[in-house]
Amino acid sequence: LYIKINTYCWIIHLCLLVFEQYQKARTQFVQTVAELATRPQNIETLQNAGVMSLLRPLLLDIVPTIQQTSALALGRLANYNDDLAEAVVKGDILPQLVYSLAEQNRFYKKAAAFVLRAVAKHSPTLAQAVVDCGGLDALVISLEEFDPGVKEAAAWALGYIARHNGHLSQAVVDAGAVPLLVLCIQEPEVALKRIAASALSDIAKHSPELAQTVVDAGAIAHLSQMILNPDAKLKRQVFSALSQISKHSVDLAEMVVEAEIFPSILVCLRDPDEYVRKNVTTLMREITKHTPELSQLVVNTGGVAAVIDYLGECQGGVRLPGIMMLGYVAAHSENLAMAVIVSKGVPQLAICLSEESEDHIKAATVWAFGQIGRHTPEHARAVAAAHVLPKLLALYMDPDSSEDLQIKAKKALKSILQKCTHLPALEPLLYEAPSNILKHVVYQFSKVLPHDSKARRLFVTSGGLKKVQEIKADVGSALQEYINSINNCYPEEIVRYYSPGYSETLLERIDKYQPV
Amino acid sequence: MARLVKLQNEIERIKEKYFTRNRFAEENRQRENEAAIKIQSWFRGWQVRAYLSHLHWKATIIQKIWRGFRARARFRQTVKAVYFIMKMNFYHKMSVRIQRRWRGYYVRKYVHNYYARRRYMEGLIRKNEEIRRDLVDFSEFQRREREQIAMDREEQKKTVQAQRMHFLLSTKQCPGVFNSPFKPEPDEMELRLRRTKPQPPTASPRERDSRLGNRIPSTHSSASIARAHGAQPLPPIPIKKPQGPFREAAEVWAQRHRSLEPSLRVQTSITDLEEAQDQLRLEEWRNRTVDTLFQPFSKAHQNRRYERMIHTSSSFQPVPYGNKHFREERPDNLLGKKPLQRASSRLCNTHLRTAYTLPRTHQHIMEMPMWPAWSASHSTKT
């Protein structure tokens, strides 16, 4: 009997051993694949070995660890490129994930949300595939989970889905994610806050209606409370979300301003993190671009001075929003343009123009100059005094400048020249400008010279009159008229003296003269 | 007769004469007729001319008068018109003057006030200065804070390192590696090593023994530290059962580390009842105030508080109700009133008072429908 029992036990032991070995092997396989998938160079090989079809049944494994790890491996694979993400979609893995997202434990949920995120990240069609298989509802349900890690993963996936276009974003909103995301912002975990803010930013960026939905969920109050948070990455996302909300309409911008962000966000312009500074400046740009009143508010809180200092401290593409903000402020009214000038914005912009090498930043700077200088002669004088006009002309004439830059430079030059009465700044342009710019320069001279005797004298002594006589203008053109009106300010002898070929005519007269 | 004869004598001559004369007349008749016609024509011409000139004269007079009349009328018209134009010019000039003043005033006041703008710009410059200064201060502060944190971290790191390398401390006999005798001063690390205490070993030798199978569980401080942090100490790993009437090592271990479980009786303090009563009393005393203002029901419209509009910034403050007038006593108004007397009230007076004192602040107790029955039953009981 003893022997019998012993044999029986032995058989059971053998059977169990097989299962144990199988489970160990599966676990090891999945873990190794997940480990290998972290390195990009392995992924091609894994894909060629048919890892997708092997991982898919393991998602339905009875052991939770294997399920999670296989989901993690799938997520890493899908994260790598859009082909693999498409393979995940085509392998009908998403419905399984979505189904189990509602059922399983939190580790599995996290991994499944990671897969969804990795798939949705690549393109709108893939994100649409996630939406079509009902991923949104499952993600929204897991936003209500207690565990912050799950919430974080779900919010991240929702943000990636909403990022692509307004339609997907609307789908996310319709799934009821916004109030839950707003709740997530209020959680104590910084990472969760960060991701929820980023998701809200992605939702709000597409259309005014979506932004309004985010605002209606009360996001602004919570976002504005986190402005002075010490975490730099969180601040980046918060400012990005606020700027995406405020960019759409005046009402939204006013709501953002009413959250009393104003004196306090200026402090973030001195943040050690570059992107925080950039996003703050973007937010200010989005607010100021709407109305003169909002711009006035920003100016009155000293925002313009802070942005001008910011421009002095940074380099490259992050300057762009600051430059554009100055342009927007100056565009609204001459008072605001004057405010930019007295805040020493013009020299700073001139520095930007000379330091930056990229055309689009130069174009923005040139545009800002045009907006500052186009209001009154005083403004134009301030711009001209910074020796900007020759630079603008050089950019306009430079064949290497992009077309956009050339157009903007021409427009800016034209609008500044039409107001400029500061003749010393105009004079260099007489010698260099092509005829379509020269027209405006000469016109300004013809307007000022009849009324200013000192300027008339200076114009002759500096050789301007000689240059004007040398200009070849068509008879009856506007340019010719302007030249004539300049000539009328001077005695005829002087005009003739400075006209080209005068010495020859004098010599001819000597030849013809017959002494009596 | 003579005469007759004479005449007879002369008849011939007369006849001749008559003929002569006739011939003569006949000869001149044409001329004379022409002359007469001439005279007549002249005369008639003169007459007609005289008449015509007379008519002309008259016409001229008429014309003169008429033209004079017309001219005078026109002149008056012209003068009127000129006067009108002059007046209008004057008015225009004056209206321009008025408009000039008004427009200048309006523009200076509302559109472009040079001084206000200059003031604004000056204010803006000041504000900008202020903001710039603040930002510089703030960034300086932040930088110092970051540096402080970095320094602290560095310090922490060095301290931990010093703790780990404490055995390199030099002794009296033998200088350590950081205390080179060839240098005038010991290394910074040496000083740090002197300051810090060596790191206590992570596990005591006894515990290490117990992990190796020694069944005596350690009573060392590290285990109690671990317990204080909430971690359960690892139970000892039994290798073989010892001889003798000993209990299982794990059981002994559990008994040893069992937390105190006193009974409820032991747990409660002896003065618990008094403390609870004191606490209750204190709370009652503290919470006795009623925050909501009492507002009488009659003339409710007078009790409405003036609520300040959020749109305006007027300095009119609301008058809080009851600070002055509510506490005024008017004894003459109370003259005719007498306290309510009931048949039962005298009997159950003491009971009522006790029942009354607690809910006095709540008005609704007076409206309780059960009040008479309850009091009656009370009275019967008494």
Side-chain angles (χ1 to χ4, degrees):
Chain A
L1 186 72
Y2 179 75
I3 291 167
K4 227 179 191 175
I5 289 169
N6 214 358
T7 347
Y8 184 65
C9 287
W10 179 240
I11 288 165
I12 288 173
H13 185 72
L14 266 184
C15 289
L16 288 178
L17 194 69
V18 170
F19 280 97
E20 200 180 321
Q21 275 173 351
Y22 179 48
Q23 183 173 329
K24 265 183 192 164
R26 276 182 333 215
T27 317
Q28 201 192 357
F29 170 73
V30 170
Q31 274 170 357
T32 323
V33 167
E35 191 67 23
L36 287 174
T38 51
R39 299 225 173 73
Q41 64 264 29
N42 299 335
I43 286 179
E44 285 290 318
T45 329
L46 285 176
Q47 170 66 3
N48 292 338
V51 74
M52 282 290 171
S53 46
L54 288 175
L55 283 177
R56 194 184 154 205
L58 289 175
L59 273 180
L60 294 178
D61 204 283
I62 45 162
V63 185
T65 324
I66 296 174
Q67 287 182 3
Q68 289 153 24
T69 324
S70 61
L72 190 70
L74 269 177
R76 280 176 185 165
L77 288 170
N79 206 10
Y80 176 64
N81 66 13
D82 52 345
D83 291 334
L84 284 168
E86 216 167 310
V88 171
V89 173
K90 282 191 181 142
D92 273 343
I93 291 170
L94 292 182
Q96 280 178 28
L97 282 170
V98 168
Y99 176 69
S100 48
L101 199 60
E103 308 258 310
Q104 301 278 347
N105 65 5
R106 60 203 173 99
F107 299 109
Y108 187 76
K109 278 182 179 174
K110 220 152 91 178
F114 171 59
V115 180
L116 292 183
R117 178 184 103 209
V119 170
K121 148 182 143 169
H122 295 291
S123 73
T125 42
L126 288 169
Q128 187 63 47
V130 174
V131 174
D132 289 341
C133 68
L136 282 182
D137 293 324
L139 286 171
V140 168
I141 287 166
S142 43
L143 266 187
E144 293 173 20
E145 191 79 6
F146 184 69
D147 184 48
V150 177
K151 275 196 238 184
E152 189 185 323
W156 208 339
L158 285 172
Y160 273 23
I161 292 169
R163 173 173 294 186
H164 293 294
N165 58 37
H167 178 68
L168 286 166
S169 190
Q170 186 64 49
V172 172
V173 170
D174 291 342
V178 174
L180 293 170
L181 286 172
V182 172
L183 281 180
C184 287
I185 295 182
Q186 305 166 44
E187 297 283 329
E189 290 81 13
V190 177
L192 179 55
K193 280 182 177 188
R194 213 185 273 165
I195 293 196
S198 148
L200 284 177
S201 160
D202 285 336
I203 290 170
K205 79 179 175 186
H206 295 292
S207 73
E209 291 77 24
L210 290 166
Q212 187 65 49
T213 320
V214 173
V215 171
D216 288 343
I220 289 180
H222 300 295
L223 286 172
S224 60
Q225 277 169 4
M226 291 186 289
I227 283 172
L228 295 177
N229 198 300
D231 187 64
K233 282 179 184 163
L234 174 60
K235 274 197 280 189
R236 278 184 205 173
Q237 301 301 343
V238 166
F239 287 123
S240 149
L242 286 176
S243 55
Q244 299 290 8
I245 289 169
S246 59
K247 83 176 179 186
H248 293 292
S249 71
V250 184
D251 293 339
L252 291 167
E254 276 173 0
M255 289 183 90
V256 170
V257 169
E258 274 166 20
E260 307 214 333
I261 55 172
F262 247 97
S264 51
I265 65 166
L266 299 182
V267 164
C268 297
L269 282 173
R270 294 299 178 100
D271 204 90
D273 190 72
E274 192 184 35
Y275 288 96
V276 171
R277 281 180 282 160
K278 186 192 166 196
N279 287 354
V280 172
T281 326
T282 315
L283 171 59
M284 286 168 74
R285 180 189 77 192
E286 302 300 352
I287 288 170
T288 52
K289 81 177 180 189
H290 291 295
T291 63
E293 288 76 25
L294 285 169
S295 298
Q296 186 81 57
L297 187 130
V298 175
V299 169
N300 289 351
T301 49
V304 167
V307 168
I308 288 165
D309 284 4
Y310 159 75
L311 285 182
E313 283 161 15
C314 61
Q315 290 287 328
V318 290
R319 269 178 171 169
L320 186 64
I323 293 168
M324 285 178 76
M325 184 214 150
L326 292 185
Y328 278 130
V329 169
H332 285 305
S333 78
E334 55 115 4
N335 229 342
L336 289 167
M338 198 32 113
V340 173
I341 291 169
V342 300
S343 314
K344 297 167 189 146
V346 175
Q348 191 58 59
L349 281 174
I351 292 170
C352 290
L353 190 61
S354 57
E355 281 180 0
E356 294 303 326
S357 56
E358 282 180 63
D359 270 359
H360 68 279
I361 300 176
K362 276 185 187 169
T365 320
V366 163
W367 170 79
F369 273 128
Q371 298 303 333
I372 293 170
R374 81 192 163 101
H375 296 285
T376 65
E378 211 179 333
H379 293 81
R381 188 196 176 92
V383 174
H387 306 295
V388 169
L389 295 180
K391 282 180 203 161
L392 293 185
L393 186 65
L395 285 176
Y396 173 56
M397 305 278 278
D398 190 3
D400 296 337
S401 319
S402 66
E403 199 178 338
D404 179 50
L405 175 56
Q406 282 185 349
I407 290 169
K408 286 212 163 75
K410 188 186 167 195
K411 263 191 175 171
L413 261 180
K414 201 174 147 188
S415 53
I416 296 169
L417 285 178
Q418 278 172 350
K419 291 290 176 187
C420 187
T421 55
H422 184 56
L423 300 185
L426 287 177
E427 238 174 71
L429 298 186
L430 268 182
Y431 300 98
E432 294 160 10
S435 68
N436 54 350
I437 302 292
L438 195 62
K439 188 171 64 183
H440 302 295
V441 179
V442 176
Y443 184 38
Q444 291 308 109
F445 275 110
S446 76
K447 279 193 286 189
V448 176
L449 289 178
H451 308 289
D452 190 350
S453 57
K454 270 186 192 169
R456 279 202 293 270
R457 189 185 167 78
L458 205 65
F459 189 59
V460 174
T461 51
S462 65
L465 188 61
K466 188 158 183 279
K467 173 65 195 159
V468 166
Q469 301 311 320
E470 285 163 8
I471 295 170
K472 290 187 187 68
D474 298 335
V475 179
S477 65
L479 183 56
Q480 184 62 50
E481 268 179 36
Y482 304 147
I483 293 173
N484 287 344
S485 59
I486 292 179
N487 289 347
N488 288 340
C489 307
Y490 292 99
E492 207 180 332
E493 301 93 82
I494 292 192
V495 175
R496 252 189 285 155
Y497 176 75
Y498 283 110
S499 346
Y502 179 65
S503 51
E504 281 81 44
T505 47
L506 272 185
L507 287 174
E508 270 176 31
R509 273 177 68 186
I510 290 172
D511 292 344
K512 283 176 189 169
Y513 187 70
Q514 295 293 326
V516 181
Chain B
M1 230 29 213
R3 187 166 256 197
L4 196 60
V5 168
K6 214 176 166 186
L7 275 171
Q8 278 294 340
N9 291 337
E10 274 187 20
I11 198 149
E12 269 313 305
R13 207 183 37 105
I14 289 169
K15 259 185 195 175
E16 196 184 341
K17 220 176 175 177
Y18 172 71
F19 275 113
T20 313
R21 206 175 273 185
N22 261 359
R23 202 179 58 235
F24 195 73
E26 201 62 31
E27 274 175 5
N28 284 339
R29 199 170 61 202
Q30 180 78 23
R31 208 164 49 93
E32 282 168 359
N33 191 27
E34 278 177 3
I37 287 171
K38 209 172 226 175
I39 291 165
Q40 280 174 355
S41 76
W42 175 84
F43 176 74
R44 283 183 190 151
W46 173 82
Q47 203 180 13
V48 169
R49 271 193 294 276
Y51 182 61
L52 271 179
S53 78
H54 171 75
L55 280 182
H56 274 137
W57 178 242
K58 292 299 166 197
T60 308
I61 288 172
I62 293 169
Q63 285 174 347
K64 183 176 78 184
I65 290 168
W66 171 246
R67 282 180 186 158
F69 172 74
R70 282 282 305 276
R72 271 186 287 277
R74 198 185 300 143
F75 175 72
R76 274 196 296 275
Q77 285 285 327
T78 320
V79 165
K80 243 188 206 168
V82 166
Y83 178 63
F84 179 75
I85 289 167
M86 220 170 73
K87 236 169 38 183
M88 286 313 288
N89 282 345
F90 179 74
Y91 290 158
H92 282 148
K93 217 161 114 190
M94 292 301 121
S95 63
V96 163
R97 207 179 271 182
I98 294 168
Q99 286 169 0
R100 197 166 64 197
R101 280 297 171 93
W102 162 248
R103 285 181 185 160
Y105 165 77
Y106 177 79
V107 165
R108 275 189 287 278
K109 177 144 191 181
Y110 297 105
V111 182
H112 182 90
N113 186 347
Y114 172 75
Y115 294 101
R117 184 168 129 162
R118 203 174 67 183
R119 266 203 308 281
Y120 173 70
M121 290 298 165
E122 280 163 5
L124 187 68
I125 290 170
R126 268 202 306 282
K127 175 83 189 171
N128 284 346
E129 287 297 317
E130 203 176 297
I131 279 282
R132 284 188 166 125
R133 216 171 34 243
D134 284 358
L135 286 183
V136 166
D137 288 353
F138 181 77
S139 57
E140 182 64 22
F141 167 73
Q142 265 192 335
R143 194 183 56 76
R144 249 182 284 133
E145 212 167 46
R146 276 200 301 278
E147 273 174 9
Q148 184 64 40
I149 288 169
M151 244 163 64
D152 285 353
R153 201 168 289 158
E154 192 69 18
E155 184 72 30
Q156 185 78 20
K157 223 170 166 184
K158 277 184 179 166
T159 313
V160 168
Q161 203 183 7
Q163 276 179 347
R164 288 205 182 126
M165 301 199 304
H166 195 266
F167 55 92
L168 296 174
L169 182 69
S170 53
T171 57
K172 213 175 220 175
Q173 295 299 319
C174 168
V177 284
F178 293 115
N179 191 8
S180 170
F182 304 111
K183 283 184 182 168
E185 279 180 3
D187 194 75
E188 189 238 336
M189 195 63 185
E190 170 69 22
L191 300 176
R192 194 179 289 279
L193 286 178
R194 279 180 202 167
R195 277 205 304 278
T196 50
K197 283 183 179 172
Q199 198 183 20
T202 46
S204 66
R206 266 200 192 172
E207 213 165 10
R208 235 176 279 147
D209 283 348
S210 77
R211 266 194 223 139
L212 291 174
N214 196 340
R215 268 161 289 102
I216 306 158
S218 79
T219 52
H220 202 265
S221 60
S222 68
S224 58
I225 288 165
R227 260 204 314 288
H229 285 294
Q232 284 293 322
L234 292 173
I237 302 166
I239 291 180
K240 57 177 184 179
K241 203 171 182 302
Q243 273 190 335
F246 298 128
R247 287 186 176 267
E248 285 283 318
E251 197 182 336
V252 174
W253 184 249
Q255 280 292 336
R256 195 183 175 106
H257 291 279
R258 186 167 59 94
S259 56
L260 184 67
E261 289 170 355
S263 67
L264 191 64
R265 176 69 195 250
V266 173
Q267 272 178 349
T268 6
S269 154
I270 200 165
T271 57
D272 194 50
L273 187 63
E274 284 78 14
E275 275 171 15
Q277 281 170 346
D278 282 348
Q279 180 76 19
L280 255 174
R281 210 167 295 136
L282 203 67
E283 234 162 55
E284 205 174 307
W285 180 79
R286 201 169 51 219
N287 301 336
R288 201 182 291 159
T289 52
V290 181
D291 285 337
T292 49
L293 274 175
F294 174 72
Q295 307 276 31
F297 308 119
S298 64
K299 297 178 185 173
H301 63 279
Q302 288 178 357
N303 302 329
R304 200 181 300 145
R305 288 171 70 117
Y306 171 70
E307 282 188 8
R308 210 164 152 188
M309 281 188 290
I310 52 170
H311 309 297
T312 61
S313 54
S314 120
S315 59
F316 295 113
Q317 290 292 329
V319 180
Y321 179 81
N323 61 346
K324 198 165 92 184
H325 313 286
F326 187 62
R327 291 181 201 277
E328 275 177 7
E329 283 185 10
R330 290 184 190 145
D332 47 316
N333 282 1
L334 301 171
L335 270 181
K337 293 203 176 173
K338 282 197 176 141
L340 187 70
Q341 292 284 321
R342 280 175 199 277
S344 58
S345 66
R346 227 165 293 130
L347 293 173
C348 60
N349 212 357
T350 52
H351 296 274
L352 272 184
R353 201 171 293 141
T354 50
Y356 221 78
T357 44
L358 193 66
R360 193 158 209 167
T361 50
H362 304 287
Q363 292 290 318
H364 60 265
I365 197 77
M366 304 300 282
E367 294 155 18
M368 270 171 66
M370 289 302 288
W371 161 255
W374 175 75
S375 62
S377 68
H378 224 280
S379 63
T380 50
K381 235 186 251 175
T382 50

